[in-house]
Amino acid sequence: MDYASAINSISSLGLDQVTGTRLNTLTGALTKEDSTVEGTMFDAFLNSAIDSLKTTNSYLSDSENEKIRFALGETENAHDLSVAMQKASDALQYTVAFRDKLLEAYNSIMQMQI
């Protein structure tokens, strides 16, 4: 999978802008003062997942910036470019694997008979 298709797949999910309306609305609902969800395991899990998405988005952005700088000749250090690209690739692979496992768990729960 190349980077463009990976970024497009994240964009189609609405996850390319982690600070976007979808996640802000969700986290805003969980961080109200009168909310009883704070301090629970779900809240910690959700915040951890959102932080991981922000980190992945940051690595992808850094990788793109390094590619542009290298292409424009602003830097001659190919090491920084390869490190940024590898970080972005690894973070994206872990994010996709996490999403796949989460969807698998959701489907298992939905198939349970009550």
Side-chain angles (χ1 to χ4, degrees):
M1 177 188 305
D2 62 331
Y3 291 109
S5 64
I7 292 171
N8 288 335
S9 69
I10 289 177
S11 297
S12 68
L13 294 173
L15 300 176
D16 59 334
Q17 296 178 348
V18 176
T19 59
T21 307
R22 290 170 130 184
L23 291 177
N24 277 345
T25 302
L26 182 60
T27 57
L30 294 176
T31 57
K32 291 181 181 176
E33 289 181 44
D34 60 342
S35 176
T36 59
V37 178
E38 285 185 356
T40 63
M41 288 178 49
F42 179 76
D43 186 38
F45 175 76
L46 182 64
N47 288 334
S48 174
I50 290 172
D51 289 342
S52 295
L53 287 173
K54 286 180 182 179
T55 302
T56 299
N57 192 31
S58 172
Y59 285 152
L60 288 169
S61 177
D62 291 345
S63 173
E64 288 297 319
N65 289 340
E66 284 295 324
K67 285 181 194 176
I68 291 169
R69 289 181 55 213
F70 189 76
L72 293 176
E74 292 178 4
T75 183
E76 294 179 9
N77 189 355
H79 177 71
D80 289 340
L81 174 63
S82 64
V83 167
M85 288 176 60
Q86 189 63 44
K87 278 185 179 181
S89 175
D90 290 345
L92 186 60
Q93 286 177 358
Y94 286 124
T95 301
V96 170
F98 176 76
R99 182 205 62 192
D100 292 344
K101 288 293 184 181
L102 186 65
L103 288 175
E104 183 181 323
Y106 173 77
N107 287 331
S108 297
I109 291 171
M110 292 306 293
Q111 291 176 358
M112 287 183 186
Q113 294 192 5
I114 298 175

